[in-house]
Amino acid sequence: QDNRISIWSVGDVGNVGLSGEYQGEPQLLCDIKHNGDVMDMQFLDQERIVVASSTGTVTVFRHHQNNQTLSAKQRWEKAHYHVDQDTSCGGAACTGVICNNPEIVTVGEDGRINLFRADQKDAVRTIDNADSSTLHAVTFLRTTEILTINSIGQLKIWDFRQQRNEPSQIFSLTGDRVPLHCVDRHPNQQHIVATGGQDGMLSIWDIRQGTMPVSLLNAHEAEMWEVHFHPSNPDHLFTCSEDGSLWHWDTSAGVSEKPSFLHQGGRSTTYFSHNTINQSVVSAWLSNDPTKDRMEITNLIPNQTLSVNSLDVLGPCLVYGTDAEAIYVNRQLFA
């Protein structure tokens, strides 16, 4: 009933014990009340956070670092709604938000897509009947193009340069119409997209070709709630599920045989800058059966039983939240 947005400090990397575990409790820096369930949230920049609510409202909160407070900076009331925006109960849950500063795209249960710009009161663009089913998540493919996923197993690409309110491409899981819950785009290869849905399967898509996934990988026993490529090391992918598992998918083993990739420019570190990533690194995701390419899969929390609802990953750090009302930080992803 009473929800909040909270900002935590998990301390400095320097403060790590012998086992690599972070020492000391995470500190709550500040929090603020939030109307409705928090369906999704994303940083817009260093100090602004965009939050999607089950009431259909989208709010931009500002984190004031000088005095550690949060304030609501901007609000689009009932950005998503079922009947009309004015009725008191008309709000429809905003299910997903994605930012590419200053632009913010939101999707919702009403099948609507909104394009907002930070500091502008009105939506830049709204596609009212983008979908007849619930849109569960959205991601940017490039600055003018987004990709949405829906509850009947479809991916749709939308090009904001086009005036007509139709998707430029539609992809779908064959026949089954399994609801898709999460999507992420490969950080360097914009045509590679990963999705997860109700059946726990991981699907890898190449949006340059065909309308079906390149590969379907058996993953979780229940709904997959989140999928993320590692932003600087995209051979690594992370998925989490209602079944209480969080999987680390590592395709780097399969391609490490290739000398062009290993010793390019004398680099052999775990993290690659953009220019050292070449096609061969990525091809493991697009091979018809990535598991043949010696993909390694590790369940990072083997004995967990409660749903893992959300995760994010950056550098050697993984953060995830579970139904135990707890947030976990793993600082040793590649140890």
Side-chain angles (χ1 to χ4, degrees), residues 123-145:
V124 178
R125 175 94 182 262
T126 294
I127 303 177
D128 273 332
N129 299 310
D131 216 299
S132 55
S133 64
T134 296
L135 289 169
H136 279 144
V138 57
T139 189
F140 273 100
L141 291 178
R142 39 182 72 84
T143 45
T144 55
E145 253 184 345

Side-chain angles (χ1 to χ4, degrees), residues 139-280:
T139 189
F140 273 100
L141 291 178
R142 39 182 72 84
T143 45
T144 55
E145 253 184 345
I146 58 161
L147 180 128
T148 58
I149 56 169
N150 69 14
S151 58
I152 55 170
Q154 292 175 321
L155 283 68
K156 295 183 182 180
I157 296 179
W158 305 84
D159 187 340
F160 285 131
R161 290 166 305 188
Q162 295 181 1
Q163 284 313 302
R164 53 196 198 93
N165 292 336
E166 301 289 328
S168 53
Q169 270 175 289
I170 299 179
F171 303 82
S172 62
L173 293 167
T174 47
D176 294 344
R177 302 199 160 232
V178 175
L180 291 171
H181 291 304
C182 54
V183 58
D184 196 28
R185 189 205 81 199
H186 190 288
N188 316 310
Q189 309 277 329
Q190 273 123 330
H191 53 275
I192 300 177
V193 170
T195 63
Q198 188 144 340
D199 57 1
M201 296 277 278
L202 172 64
S203 309
I204 306 290
W205 309 71
D206 182 346
I207 58 174
R208 297 168 308 181
Q209 46 180 296
T211 57
M212 283 155 57
V214 183
S215 56
L216 285 166
L217 300 164
N218 268 317
H220 302 280
E221 305 284 309
E223 291 91 344
M224 186 190 295
W225 291 131
E226 192 105 61
V227 57
H228 273 299
F229 285 101
H230 192 287
S232 55
N233 196 349
D235 309 350
H236 298 267
L237 178 94
F238 299 85
T239 59
C240 64
S241 165
E242 180 72 28
D243 67 9
S245 60
L246 193 163
W247 285 17
H248 174 185
W249 306 70
D250 176 5
T251 60
S252 60
V255 279
S256 60
E257 308 291 291
K258 298 180 183 167
S260 64
F261 153 63
L262 227 114
H263 302 296
Q264 200 172 2
R267 272 208 173 102
S268 59
T269 50
T270 336
Y271 300 102
F272 305 106
S273 62
H274 286 289
N275 56 358
T276 56
I277 293 183
N278 60 10
Q279 201 57 42
S280 70

